[in-house]
Amino acid sequence: MESWQRLLLLLSLALASGEATKDNDDIDLVSFLRTIYPGLLVRNEPVIVNKGSEINSLKQLRRPAVCSITERSKVKPLDQETNVTPGPVVVTKDGLIKGITVDRAYIFYGIPYADPPIGAYRWKPPRPVGPRPGVYDASFPRASCMQACSGPFSGECPWIVSEDCLYLNVFVPLDVDFSSSLGALLPVMVWIHGGDFIAGSASKPLYDGRFISNSTRTVVVSLEYRLGAFGFLVSGKDPHSSAAGNYGILDQQAALLWVQQNIAVFGGDPSKVTIFGESAGAQSVSLHLMTQSSKPLFKQAVLQSLPFSIPLKSRHDALKLGKEFAKQTNCSVSDLVCLLSLAPQVVLAAQMKTSSKVVNPFRFLEVFETWGPFIDGELIKEQAVTAFQKGHWQKEKPVLLGTTSEEGVIFVYGVFKKPVSALESAVYVAAIFKQHALRILHRYLPLYRDADRRDMLAQIVTDYVFLCPSRRSARAGTAAGSKLWMYAFDHVASDPRVWSNQTFCYRHACHGAELPFLFGSAPVANFTMSAAEKLLSNRMLCYWGAFAHTGDPSSRARQTTFCRQQRLPAWPRYSDTSSWLVMNLTVRSHAQVGTRDHVCDFWDHLGIY
C-alpha cells in the first residue's frame, strides 16, 4: 500500500467517527485537527494571510510600510507622470472640475463622489456630494481608504490613507475635444480594485487607466471604496443604532450613480458602462450583477479571478466578527457612540487583530477573506455561486469572465510559510471539505510526489475556489441564454531564463498576474516585457476594449487603428455548440477546449460550491 493510500485509510477512520461532519459553531477546529494527527503543529494563534509573507521564497513586489493618515491631504501624482500640463475644465452637476493633460490621456484625479464618511457618518451609507464653489483641482490623487500597507501583489503602497476617501479618477482619450461640443460619446469602463476587501487603491500605478483609455477609445473610471472594518463592520441590524455592514458595496453603488449623472461631460456614454474588477473587485462586480438596485447603473461586466467558493458571511457570523472587533477596542458591540469615538488608527488596529479570526470553524476558507460583504437579506440575498447557478442575476447582460492558471499559489504560500507534508496537507483538506475529503485526496494526492505538498494545496485552491465554480456558473448562464466569454490567463515566459524573483508570479500566471498586461503597466510592476509579452498585453487591452464597445471581445466593429494592428485571434462565445471553447491568453493566444475540464467535472459532481 502506498503512503498516500495509508493516509486515506487513516482519514477515513477519523471521518467515519463523525467528528468531521458536525456543523456546529461551537466545535473547536484545532482540537478536531489534533484528533486526526496529534503531532500536527496547530496553534490557537491567528493565521496571517499575505502579511509580509514570501511566495515560493521570492521577494515581495513591494515592501511593507506604515501609512500616514490624513484628511483631504494632497497626495503626490503617480511616479510615471511626465509632461504634465493643465487640462480641460468640465462642468459636473456638483461644480467645475479641472484635470491635467499627460502624454496619453486627460486625467481627472480624486473627484469626490460622496461626502466624507467621517465622524458620526463613519458607519453610514454614502451621502451625495453638495455643490462646490470655484474650480475643483483634480490634478492629483487623494488619500486611499484606511488599510494596513502590507502584502504581495498590491502594487505601490498608498502612502497616505484616510477615512475621507470616497473619490474616483477619470481617464479620457486625448482625441476627445473639450473645446467644442462633444460628439459621439464613448463607452465607459469602471474599474473596481481588489485587495481582499482590506487593501488596495484606485490610484495604484498598476491600475493606470490611461493605457486602456487611449488604446481603446474608452473613458476609464477607477473608484475607491471603504475597506475592512470601516466598510464592512456589523455590530447590529438597526442601521440607526449600529453598524449594519456592506458600506463598501454601497460606496461602489454611489460611484456608479455618479458616473450615470456626470460621465457625459467627460465624453462618456452612461448607457454603455462596463464594470470590471479582479479578485475582491470581481466579487463586487458579481454582487452588482445580483443586486436589483445596481441594475440600471451598468450594461455589462467583466469578472477577473472571482473567488466564487470563498463564502460570504451570514449575518450571524458577521455579527460574531463584530463582537470580536469591539472586544479589541474595549467598546461594547452595542455601544455605537463608543465605536464612533475611536480614532481611525484604533479601528484599524482592532481590525488587524481580528483579521484572521475564523468565526465559523467549519468554514475554514474564511481565513482568506475575514472582512468583506455579508448576506444581509436585502442588498445581498445569497452566495454569488448560488445566484449564478440558479439564474438569480441579470442574465441579459453580456459577461466576460476568467481565471489565471496558478490562482492558488499566492494564497497557499502566504498562509503556509514552511513546507507542508502529505499528512499535514490531508488534515487541512479534511478540515475544509469534511466528508468530501477522502474523494478529493484520492483525486489529488497521487499526482504530487514532492515532500512539500503546498503545490497540491495551491492546485486545489485554484480548482475549487476559482476555476471550476467559474466554469459551472458560465455553463449555467449559457443554458439560461446569457452571452458569456471565458478566458484562462496562462502566460508562461517564452524564455524561462529571463525569469527573476520579482517577475516570477507575473510570468507564472499567479492570482492577479494579468493586471500589468491588461493595464499596460509592466514598468511599475518592475519587469520588462518581451516582444511576445507586449503583443499579449496589447491584445488583452483590445479584447477588453472591444467588449466595452460592442459586448463582444473579438468584435472588429469600432476598433481603433491600434487594435486593428494587433490582429486579434477570434474569441468565440462560451457555449456547448463550440465545445465550450475558452480563450487561452498566453504569448500565443488561441481559443481552446478547457484543459482541466475533467477536474471541473469532478468538482461539479461533488456539488459543494
Side-chain angles (χ1 to χ4, degrees):
M1 183 181 292
E2 292 197 37
S3 59
W4 67 268
Q5 291 172 317
R6 290 195 296 272
L7 178 56
L8 289 180
L9 178 60
L10 172 65
L11 281 171
S12 66
L13 294 173
L15 291 168
S17 70
E19 289 303 310
T21 60
K22 296 177 183 177
D23 192 4
N24 187 328
D25 286 358
D26 297 326
I27 292 177
D28 182 354
L29 177 62
V30 174
S31 298
F32 162 64
L33 296 180
R34 284 176 175 151
T35 65
I36 298 178
Y37 180 42
L40 180 65
L41 183 62
V42 180
R43 300 188 179 92
N44 288 299
E45 300 172 354
V47 179
I48 305 300
V49 184
N50 298 339
K51 298 289 194 297
S53 60
E54 291 196 357
I55 305 300
N56 276 344
S57 299
L58 305 176
K59 297 294 184 182
Q60 295 306 303
L61 296 183
R62 64 171 173 79
R63 64 185 184 278
V66 177
C67 302
S68 58
I69 299 175
T70 185
E71 301 294 333
R72 291 198 182 277
S73 293
K74 184 169 182 176
V75 183
K76 289 183 179 180
L78 301 182
D79 292 340
Q80 69 271 31
E81 302 288 19
T82 56
N83 301 321
V84 178
T85 59
V89 176
V90 299
V91 183
T92 70
K93 72 178 189 65
D94 305 314
L96 300 173
I97 298 178
K98 184 175 183 178
I100 57 175
T101 303
V102 296
D103 57 348
R104 299 196 185 197
Y106 300 115
I107 305 178
F108 301 83
Y109 282 124
I111 302 173
Y113 66 83
D115 269 353
I118 58 177
Y121 299 102
R122 172 181 281 164
W123 286 298
K124 297 294 181 185
R127 298 165 297 130
V129 175
R132 291 184 304 271
V135 179
Y136 182 82
D137 181 6
S139 65
F140 60 94
R142 266 53 177 189
S144 302
C145 290
M146 293 295 298
Q147 60 192 276
C149 300
S150 62
F153 297 105
S154 48
E156 294 297 323
C157 177
W159 290 106
I160 301 180
V161 297
S162 172
E163 287 193 79
D164 175 8
C165 64
L166 300 186
Y167 300 94
L168 53 78
N169 307 316
V170 179
F171 303 83
V172 183
L174 284 177
D175 62 1
V176 172
D177 186 1
F178 286 97
S179 64
S180 61
S181 178
L182 294 174
L185 298 178
L186 301 177
V188 181
M189 301 183 70
V190 179
W191 172 250
I192 304 177
H193 71 77
D196 203 30
F197 292 110
I198 60 172
S201 169
S203 296
K204 286 194 300 189
L206 187 65
Y207 305 147
D208 190 346
R210 79 185 75 179
F211 299 100
I212 298 178
S213 178
N214 188 62
S215 300
T216 65
R217 292 203 78 242
T218 56
V219 175
V220 176
V221 178
S222 56
L223 61 94
E224 309 282 5
Y225 57 96
R226 281 174 281 182
L227 304 168
F230 296 92
F232 299 99
L233 176 67
V234 178
S235 67
K237 188 173 182 179
D238 185 353
H240 300 290
S241 60
S242 60
N246 288 334
Y247 299 111
I249 303 302
L250 294 175
D251 292 344
Q252 295 170 13
Q253 280 191 331
L256 291 171
L257 179 60
W258 184 95
V259 168
Q260 288 296 309
Q261 295 173 338
N262 295 279
I263 205 64
V265 300
F266 296 88
D269 188 343
S271 70
K272 289 186 177 181
V273 173
T274 299
I275 58 174
F276 68 129
E278 182 266 344
S279 194
Q283 283 182 279
S284 301
V285 171
S286 73
L287 295 177
H288 293 299
L289 281 167
M290 296 159 50
T291 303
Q292 191 66 25
S293 54
S294 294
K295 186 174 182 178
L297 303 179
F298 65 101
K299 183 179 181 181
Q300 53 200 23
V302 181
L303 304 163
Q304 299 171 213
S305 299
L306 169 57
F308 262 118
S309 295
I310 293 181
L312 301 180
K313 285 181 172 60
S314 65
R315 181 180 295 278
H316 171 77
D317 288 344
L319 183 57
K320 199 170 181 180
L321 180 67
K323 290 178 179 177
E324 290 288 339
F325 167 86
K327 184 178 178 181
Q328 297 293 335
T329 67
N330 295 320
C331 290
S332 165
V333 72
S334 60
D335 189 349
L336 184 62
V337 173
C338 179
L339 293 171
L340 289 172
S341 70
L342 298 172
Q345 298 94 328
V346 175
V347 175
L348 186 60
Q351 172 198 310
M352 293 175 67
K353 289 178 181 178
T354 55
S355 280
S356 299
K357 182 71 176 178
V358 181
V359 297
N360 185 339
F362 280 86
R363 283 194 167 179
F364 196 63
L365 286 176
E366 284 182 5
V367 74
F368 294 122
E369 188 177 283
T370 306
W371 293 95
F374 82 104
I375 299 174
D376 59 11
E378 297 174 6
L379 184 71
I380 304 171
K381 298 181 180 179
E382 59 189 330
Q383 302 289 350
V385 67
T386 303
F388 274 74
Q389 290 180 40
K390 291 185 175 180
H392 299 165
W393 61 287
Q394 298 151 37
K395 299 183 293 297
E396 73 283 1
K397 294 183 177 180
V399 170
L400 188 157
L401 76 162
T403 60
T404 68
S405 61
E406 302 291 339
E407 297 277 13
V409 167
I410 188 173
F411 297 97
V412 170
Y413 282 83
V415 171
F416 301 106
K417 311 299 191 301
K418 297 179 180 180
V420 175
S421 70
L423 184 53
E424 290 170 325
S425 69
V427 170
Y428 289 116
V429 170
I432 295 171
F433 296 107
K434 303 183 283 294
Q435 70 268 30
H436 302 287
L438 291 176
R439 294 180 64 185
I440 294 166
L441 289 167
H442 191 274
R443 181 86 188 189
Y444 284 87
L445 270 176
L447 304 177
Y448 294 85
R449 299 291 181 176
D450 291 345
D452 183 0
R453 298 301 176 99
R454 283 181 292 181
D455 282 349
M456 182 190 81
L457 294 176
Q459 191 62 60
I460 290 174
V461 169
T462 296
D463 295 339
Y464 170 69
V465 174
F466 295 95
L467 174 62
C468 297
S470 294
R471 191 197 76 155
R472 180 158 185 183
S473 298
R475 291 189 174 185
T478 296
S482 301
K483 296 179 180 178
L484 294 107
W485 288 261
M486 283 202 76
Y487 72 85
F489 184 83
D490 193 23
H491 172 56
V492 177
S494 54
D495 182 358
R497 291 173 296 179
V498 303
W499 288 16
S500 69
N501 284 351
Q502 282 190 317
T503 67
F504 173 84
C505 269
Y506 286 125
R507 288 199 158 107
H508 202 57
C510 297
H511 184 70
E514 84 281 12
L515 296 175
F517 291 84
L518 175 61
F519 282 91
S521 52
V524 297
N526 295 319
F527 76 94
T528 303
M529 288 185 178
S530 66
E533 289 169 331
K534 289 179 181 178
L535 176 60
L536 170 60
S537 177
N538 293 344
R539 284 178 168 175
M540 288 182 66
L541 282 166
C542 293
Y543 279 133
W544 266 243
F547 184 74
H549 276 274
T550 68
D552 181 342
S554 62
S555 172
R556 267 58 175 177
R558 292 187 289 282
Q559 279 189 346
T560 61
T561 301
F562 171 80
C563 287
R564 284 194 296 271
Q565 293 171 346
Q566 308 311 314
R567 298 183 178 181
L568 302 181
W571 186 344
R573 275 174 55 183
Y574 192 65
S575 68
D576 55 0
T577 57
S578 59
S579 302
W580 301 108
L581 294 181
V582 173
M583 175 56 68
N584 185 298
L585 295 172
T586 183
V587 289
R588 292 181 177 86
S589 298
H590 58 282
Q592 66 176 36
V593 176
T595 56
R596 296 186 66 79
D597 276 350
H598 62 293
V599 175
C600 290
D601 290 343
F602 163 77
W603 286 102
D604 287 355
H605 291 149
L606 280 185
I608 58 174
Y609 45 62

